[in-house]
């Protein structure tokens, strides 16, 4: 039917919506059922997590990239077009969610009927309300024996401010209730509003790199009409291109003649230069350009910084190209080149969190065949000197020498949702991480929301692991930035044979400095192989050594050929050996094997503090 053809679809039969939820609450499974019920994927080619294209996503069972798909649906004989975006659930990928919300008019808020509302559910709900979206509350997994739909429906209704009967109950696994939900999407979510006759304005909400076709850009048309073979202009980069292919994702790419108001689709211009297609940019027609852009997105603020270095120094240019291509796919990634005396040339990369860092490193290694070393994650500090000058420190090696007046560290507002029986252990954990309690509310008799102000440096290592182990996996965590605060911080240097090794240095709180220095010295003693001479490993704050371990020298038995005879002869040989060792110590350099770097840096500061 021509009305359903991309480019000819009237805006009033289009519904743009996304699925938002906490990690593991069944977003991808619900998306699978919708794909099946609308008939865009047949039974033969159906597989679980259909929209999760990356191997990492399928192995870990998590969504990392938002995926858009066009679905046909009929209500009372009338045809409708549903543009669905499946979004990630983990706190580290909130930026993906916030961008997806900009391309929609409505959101399905999905909650697990066996687990109830989690911290990320709240965070995603607030994002949707901020974007003025129509929110449809849905309870999933009602077929589970442990499901408590009545209890959690009341919780959800109280949170959103609707009636308990307005909360939909579905089972994404069996398909129960999904048809009714699709009907409700048509009835409740408003159709997109735009001016067909106005100059073209389309928002880039995502992009990927295809090695054969170049940059594939995902757009949502707001005003006007985007046509095949049209000359277009990117409003912020001023780049000009010709549209070589345009179409919709259903769920594979389906080319079409154009895209109209409210439609979501893709365009290919054949461009291989990744910097010319920026997420948040506005696409307009070159012949009749728009005067104002669509505003774009708030740029993401990296929370955690780590250095990534190729094990083979010759791979540096490959790493740069890989990061360029990955940044196109992951707009939250920021990076700049840096050098390390121990590790050579590499990049200092800003991530949104630890899982984000882990996924980026794994994707670089898998998709681009690189072997990488990453330094321990750290955060950004602002150091004010006594003479009034200021330094921004991303890396312990940038920490200034001289008289320091004050050090400011980034703070986060953390929201923890936990069953009430674990309140004590959660409060104790937050206090031990220099937290400041901001408030506590009971969502129901047995679920508590605890709010804390915490230093970001205290939660980037193992805070989430410690929280999960103390609450048997029931607690959930969400956090957002909350400015900065003055703190007593020092830089702990690790010296090998008297020379500082920048890769092992760390900025820590005064109270934790001694235990960090001791733990790092002990670990390096096990990892550094014996040399021909004795190697002292020292942890120091400025000129003051706070911990020391020694790697004993390899000894050759020079007395093996001495049998019998006078003791003075043996002593003479030992003295000669001692002189040689002393001379060697003066010119010798400690060789630290790559494995020692990897082992020492991968575990970082935190594990010893538990």
């Amino acid at each position: 039917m021509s009305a359903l053809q991309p480019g000819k679809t009237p805006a009033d039969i289009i519904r743009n919506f996304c699925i938002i939820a906490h990690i593991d609450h069944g977003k991808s499974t619900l998306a699978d059922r919708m794909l099946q019920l609308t008939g865009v994927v047949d039974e033969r080619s159906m597989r679980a997590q259909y929209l999760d294209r990356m191997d990492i996503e399928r192995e870990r069972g998590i969504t990392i990239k938002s995926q858009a798909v066009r679905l046909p649906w009929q209500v009372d004989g009338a045809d409708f077009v549903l543009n669905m975006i499946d979004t990630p659930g983990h706190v580290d990928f909130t930026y993906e969610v916030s961008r997806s919300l900009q391309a929609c008019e409505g959101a399905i808020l999905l909650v697990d009927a066996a687990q109830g509302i989690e911290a990320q559910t709240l965070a995603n709900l607030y994002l949707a309300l901020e974007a003025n979206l129509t929110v449809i509350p849905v309870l999933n997994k009602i077929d589970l024996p442990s499901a408590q739909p009545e209890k959690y429906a009341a919780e959800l209704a109280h949170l959103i401010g609707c009636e308990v009967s307005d909360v939909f109950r579905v089972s994404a696994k069996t398909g129960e209730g999904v048809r009714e939900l699709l009907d409700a999407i048509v009835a409740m979510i408003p159709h997109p509003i735009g001016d067909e006759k106005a100059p073209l304005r389309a928002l880039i909400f995502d992009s990927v790199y295809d090695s054969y076709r170049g940059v594939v850009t995902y757009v949502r048309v707001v005003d006007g009409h985007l046509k095949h073979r049209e000359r277009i202009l990117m409003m912020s980069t001023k780049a000009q291109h010709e549209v070589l292919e345009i179409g919709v994702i259903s769920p594979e790419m389906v080319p079409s003649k154009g895209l109209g108001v409210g439609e979501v689709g893709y365009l290919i211009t054949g461009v291989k230069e990744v910097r010319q297609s920026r997420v948040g940019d506005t696409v307009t027609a070159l012949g009749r350009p728009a005067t104002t852009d669509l505003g774009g997105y708030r740029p993401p603020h990296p929370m955690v910084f780590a250095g990534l270095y190729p094990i083979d120094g010759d791979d540096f240019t490959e790493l740069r190209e890989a990061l360029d291509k990955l940044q196109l796919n992951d707009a939250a990634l920021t990076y700049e080149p840096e050098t390390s005396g121990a590790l050579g040339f590499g990049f200092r990369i800003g991530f949104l969190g630890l899982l984000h860092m882990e996924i980026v490193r794994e994707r670089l290694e898998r998709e681009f065949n690189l072997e990488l070393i990453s330094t321990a994650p750290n955060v950004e500090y602002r150091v004010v000197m006594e003479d009034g000058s200021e330094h921004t420190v991303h890396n312990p090696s940038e920490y200034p020498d001289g008289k320091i007046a004050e050090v400011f560290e980034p703070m986060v507002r953390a929201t923890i949702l936990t069953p009430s029986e674990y309140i004590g252990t959660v409060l104790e954990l937050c206090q031990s991480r220099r937290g400041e309690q901001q408030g506590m509310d009971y969502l129901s008799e047995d679920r508590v929301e605890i709010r804390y102000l915490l230093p970001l440096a205290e939660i980037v290592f193992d805070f989430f692991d410690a929280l999960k182990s103390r609450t048997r996996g029931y607690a959930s965590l969400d956090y957002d930035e909350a400015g900065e605060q003055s703190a007593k911080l020092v830089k702990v240097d690790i010296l090998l044979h008297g020379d500082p090794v920048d890769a092992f240095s760390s900025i820590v709180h005064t109270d934790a400095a001694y235990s960090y220095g001791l733990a790092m010295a002990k670990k390096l003693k096990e990892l550094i192989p014996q040399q021909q001479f004795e190697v002292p490993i020292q942890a120091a704050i400025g000129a003051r050594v706070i911990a020391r371990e020694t790697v004993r020298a390899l000894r050759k038995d020079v007395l093996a050929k001495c049998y019998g005879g006078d003791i003075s002869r043996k002593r003479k040989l030992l003295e000669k050996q001692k002189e040689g060792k002393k001379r060697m110590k003066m010119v010798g350099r400690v060789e630290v094997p790559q494995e020692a770097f990897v082992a020492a840096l991968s575990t970082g500061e935190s594990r010893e503090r538990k």
Side-chain angles (χ1 to χ4, degrees):
M1 195 185 287
S2 65
L4 293 186
Q5 288 296 318
K8 296 179 182 173
T9 314
D12 57 359
I13 69 166
I14 296 173
R15 300 290 184 272
N16 295 324
F17 71 97
C18 58
I19 306 174
I20 54 175
H22 186 79
I23 193 167
D24 246 4
H25 280 206
K27 292 178 300 303
S28 298
T29 314
L30 181 61
D32 288 349
R33 285 302 76 73
M34 288 180 171
L35 292 176
Q36 271 182 305
L37 283 172
T38 53
V40 293
V41 179
D42 58 28
E43 294 292 334
R44 194 163 54 89
S45 46
M46 191 64 205
R47 59 166 198 256
Q49 282 178 269
Y50 190 90
L51 293 177
D52 290 346
R53 304 295 166 92
M54 281 186 266
D55 291 342
I56 303 176
E57 291 181 312
R58 307 189 66 75
E59 284 166 21
R60 291 172 176 246
I62 59 173
T63 303
I64 295 165
K65 278 294 297 168
S66 298
Q67 295 290 350
V69 63
R70 180 185 173 106
L71 312 167
W73 189 243
Q74 276 196 335
V75 179
D76 300 331
D79 288 306
F80 289 91
V81 170
L82 310 180
N83 286 315
M84 174 188 70
I85 302 178
D86 179 23
T87 63
H90 195 279
V91 59
D92 284 12
F93 304 111
T94 302
Y95 187 61
E96 284 280 324
V97 181
S98 68
R99 292 206 325 266
S100 304
L101 294 174
Q102 299 270 29
C104 301
E105 279 77 39
I108 292 175
L109 183 71
L110 202 62
V111 172
D112 188 327
Q115 292 180 9
I117 294 164
E118 305 269 14
Q120 196 58 34
T121 316
L122 288 175
N124 286 338
L125 170 64
Y126 296 147
L127 283 174
L129 294 175
E130 221 174 274
N132 293 322
L133 265 57
T134 302
V135 177
I136 301 177
V138 180
L139 274 184
N140 188 21
K141 306 190 186 181
I142 57 168
D143 57 312
L144 289 179
S146 57
Q148 297 173 282
E150 295 310 315
K151 176 185 172 186
Y152 293 127
E155 233 178 70
L156 201 47
H158 170 69
L159 183 69
I160 291 176
C162 64
E163 296 300 316
V164 176
S165 55
D166 295 340
V167 178
F168 286 82
R169 294 163 172 79
V170 304
S171 167
K173 193 174 180 183
T174 63
E176 183 187 339
V178 179
R179 281 183 185 277
E180 292 78 5
L181 179 60
L182 285 165
D183 290 346
I185 288 166
V186 171
M188 295 170 71
I189 292 175
H191 62 78
I193 295 166
D195 187 350
E196 274 181 55
K197 297 181 175 64
L200 167 69
R201 288 197 304 169
L203 182 72
I204 299 177
F205 69 91
D206 207 353
S207 49
V208 292
Y209 187 82
D210 184 303
S211 48
Y212 300 106
R213 309 166 87 181
V215 178
V216 180
T217 307
Y218 295 126
V219 293
R220 148 79 195 264
V221 179
V222 176
D223 294 321
H225 195 277
L226 184 58
K227 294 188 279 291
H228 184 232
R229 288 290 170 187
E230 187 172 18
R231 296 283 300 169
I232 56 168
L233 170 74
M234 305 290 186
M235 290 185 79
S236 75
T237 59
K238 301 293 179 224
Q240 299 175 14
H241 309 294
E242 183 184 355
V243 179
L244 300 181
E245 185 179 317
I246 189 169
V248 295
I249 303 111
S250 184
E252 306 308 323
M253 287 184 180
V254 180
S256 72
K257 291 199 169 84
L259 292 173
V261 168
E263 290 196 271
V264 174
Y266 72 91
L267 59 94
I268 295 171
T269 56
V271 173
K272 298 275 186 182
E273 179 52 60
V274 294
R275 288 189 180 83
Q276 288 184 10
S277 181
R278 288 213 354 248
V279 166
D281 202 349
T282 302
V283 178
T284 189
L286 188 62
R288 189 181 165 218
T291 50
T292 55
D293 62 23
L294 292 165
Y297 306 109
R298 194 179 63 197
H301 189 72
M303 304 283 262
V304 177
F305 294 87
L308 273 188
Y309 296 85
I311 285 181
D312 180 353
D314 295 343
D315 288 343
F316 177 73
T317 47
E318 278 89 340
L319 177 58
R320 184 194 294 275
E321 283 169 24
L323 282 167
D324 273 351
K325 287 173 184 170
L326 200 58
Q327 191 179 36
L328 181 74
N329 199 269
D330 180 354
L333 199 65
T334 57
Y335 60 91
E336 57 186 44
E338 73 165 5
T339 53
S340 155
L343 301 172
F345 291 98
F347 290 92
R348 165 90 2 201
I349 305 183
F351 305 96
L352 297 182
L354 276 195
L355 179 70
H356 187 210
M357 172 180 155
E358 205 179 307
I359 295 292
V360 165
R361 182 180 166 181
E362 203 168 324
R363 286 185 69 184
L364 286 169
E365 288 180 341
R366 279 189 189 199
E367 294 172 27
F368 303 97
N369 295 322
L370 293 164
E371 284 188 65
L372 303 169
I373 291 177
S374 65
T375 62
N378 51 56
V379 300
E380 184 178 278
Y381 298 99
R382 186 165 66 88
V383 181
V384 181
M385 310 299 284
E386 282 191 352
D387 62 5
S389 61
E390 280 191 18
H391 300 267
T392 302
V393 176
H394 295 108
N395 183 346
S397 63
E398 296 170 2
Y399 201 78
D401 297 322
K403 294 197 172 177
I404 291 166
E406 226 171 350
V407 182
F408 292 90
E409 64 176 347
M411 304 296 288
V412 292
R413 235 176 264 105
T415 305
I416 299 165
L417 263 67
T418 176
S420 48
E421 68 218 66
Y422 299 115
I423 291 177
T425 184
V426 170
L427 294 182
E428 187 195 335
L429 173 67
C430 293
Q431 293 299 134
S432 71
R433 299 299 173 97
R434 302 189 281 130
E436 190 183 303
Q437 193 173 336
Q438 302 286 291
M440 188 161 77
D441 293 316
Y442 278 82
L443 294 176
S444 61
E445 296 121 48
D446 53 358
R447 283 172 73 72
V448 185
E449 178 188 341
I450 302 169
R451 293 182 301 283
Y452 256 91
L453 190 66
L454 283 155
L456 179 59
E458 292 289 339
I459 68 168
V460 297
F461 285 107
D462 64 340
F463 183 83
F464 190 62
D465 294 348
L467 180 68
K468 284 288 184 191
S469 61
R470 285 178 182 227
T471 59
R472 297 187 192 166
Y474 284 113
S476 61
L477 168 76
D478 179 58
Y479 59 86
D480 59 3
E481 52 192 295
E484 56 179 23
Q485 198 169 291
S486 175
K488 289 182 180 175
L489 300 170
V490 289
K491 177 189 173 191
V492 179
D493 279 314
I494 302 295
L495 312 176
L496 290 185
H497 202 282
D499 298 325
V501 181
D502 59 350
F504 295 136
S505 300
S506 186
I507 298 166
V508 294
H509 192 262
T510 320
D511 300 343
Y514 175 69
S515 55
Y516 172 78
L518 202 61
M520 205 62 173
K522 269 188 186 162
K523 194 185 297 169
L524 287 174
K525 184 184 177 184
E526 293 163 21
L527 295 168
I528 290 174
Q530 284 182 301
Q531 316 281 325
Q532 291 285 338
F533 50 89
E534 198 175 78
V535 179
I537 301 166
Q538 296 165 306
I541 299 171
R544 184 165 60 93
V545 173
I546 56 169
R548 174 180 168 137
E549 293 285 343
T550 307
V551 179
R552 296 263 167 240
L554 275 173
R555 288 200 58 170
K556 182 180 174 187
D557 190 1
V558 289
L559 305 181
K561 60 180 182 287
C562 295
Y563 47 93
D566 195 345
I567 186 73
S568 59
R569 185 157 168 251
K570 292 181 184 175
R571 190 165 288 132
K572 190 178 171 186
L573 278 170
L574 286 171
E575 287 298 322
K576 194 176 174 187
Q577 186 190 34
K578 198 171 169 186
E579 284 299 313
K581 294 263 185 203
K582 202 172 181 182
R583 204 163 46 248
M584 192 183 284
K585 193 171 181 177
M586 287 161 69
V587 296
R589 284 203 46 177
V590 183
E591 290 297 321
V592 183
Q594 296 286 20
E595 300 78 60
F597 275 114
V598 176
L601 297 173
S602 59
T603 47
E605 159 214 9
S606 58
R607 312 292 174 211
E608 280 65 43
R609 241 180 15 190
K610 282 185 185 175

